Amino acid sequence: MTIELDSEQPGLQEQTASILHELALAGQLGPGQIVVIGTSTSEVAGARIGTSGAIEVAQQLLAGIREVQEEFGFDTVFQCCEHLNRALVMERSVLTRLGLTEVGAVPVPKAGGSMASAAYRSLTDPCLAEHVQAHAGLDIGETMIGMHLRHVAVPYRTALRYVGDARVTTALTRPKLIGGERAVYRMEEQQPDSTFCD
């Protein structure tokens, strides 16, 4: 299925690449970092999530994702649908590097989703993991990727908010801030207070 767009609008690949490129710049994403991708191709096509998945749509989105991934060097993991408990498709090298536990399944459009299925078949040595703590996330169609983001997730609003007919939500993450009223979170040349805690 190829989605027909207004000739004035960019295609699905271009929309996806534009959004992910903006996120990568904002989050200074690069090698060693993980971006979790959740996608409802049904929502992209203007249908309700889980009702009209399409591999052809997934492949267009995947092409846009790969374009940006190659430019910035981060790793991507792809969230499966609820029928595979939102497990994540990734290269085995990523699973090994992160010390994750592999789970067994091969995603297909009806159990895993079209995007996870297309991503699995595009990888060199694909596998699934149950959990990950990603540095950033791209959610196309409100698929609930929050469970796979590091604490603390920070919503990021991109200029483009839709891919096809699907609403897009993106997030970056930051380390937890610890301490109380005396804690300092940015290095300063000279500390303003000479009160010490030792």
Side-chain angles (χ1 to χ4, degrees):
M1 169 192 309
T2 302
I3 304 298
E4 294 296 326
L5 295 171
D6 182 321
S7 60
E8 305 271 324
Q9 291 184 339
L12 298 179
Q13 177 177 337
E14 293 78 13
Q15 290 173 3
T16 305
S18 175
I19 291 167
L20 187 54
H21 189 271
E22 183 182 342
L23 183 68
L25 283 175
Q28 300 179 346
L29 302 176
Q33 293 184 303
I34 307 295
V35 177
V36 60
I37 310 286
T39 306
S40 167
T41 58
S42 299
E43 292 281 336
V44 172
R48 189 172 52 81
I49 191 169
T51 61
S52 312
I55 288 287
E56 298 83 0
V57 170
Q59 289 169 338
Q60 292 175 62
L61 305 180
L62 192 56
I65 291 163
R66 293 289 185 233
E67 179 184 318
V68 180
Q69 181 183 6
E70 288 171 13
E71 179 182 349
F72 287 87
F74 53 77
D75 291 303
T76 50
V77 298
F78 296 86
Q79 180 180 269
C80 295
C81 74
E82 64 178 301
H83 300 99
L84 292 185
N85 298 328
R86 304 208 189 285
L88 300 144
V89 173
M90 63 187 68
E91 287 283 7
R92 187 169 302 281
S93 60
V94 173
L95 177 119
T96 301
R97 186 182 87 227
L98 297 177
L100 302 175
T101 302
E102 184 176 359
V103 292
V106 174
V108 295
K110 296 237 180 241
S114 294
M115 178 57 95
S117 181
Y120 190 92
R121 284 152 184 78
S122 75
L123 298 179
T124 304
D125 189 7
C127 63
L128 267 64
E130 198 167 15
H131 300 290
V132 74
Q133 290 189 317
H135 298 87
L138 169 59
D139 189 334
I140 301 171
E142 301 176 327
T143 65
M144 304 298 188
I145 60 169
M147 64 191 287
H148 296 306
L149 289 170
R150 295 188 320 168
H151 293 164
V152 174
V154 180
Y156 181 79
R157 299 290 180 245
T158 54
L160 190 58
R161 300 297 303 277
Y162 282 82
V163 171
D165 286 334
R167 276 195 291 204
V168 173
T169 304
T170 62
L172 298 168
T173 61
R174 65 160 174 78
K176 293 179 181 179
L177 302 178
I178 62 168
E181 63 183 22
R182 296 172 70 176
V184 175
Y185 299 111
R186 291 196 181 113
M187 182 70 85
E188 295 181 18
E189 286 186 26
Q190 187 175 9
Q191 295 294 335
D193 188 349
S194 62
T195 305
F196 294 100
C197 179
D198 50 341

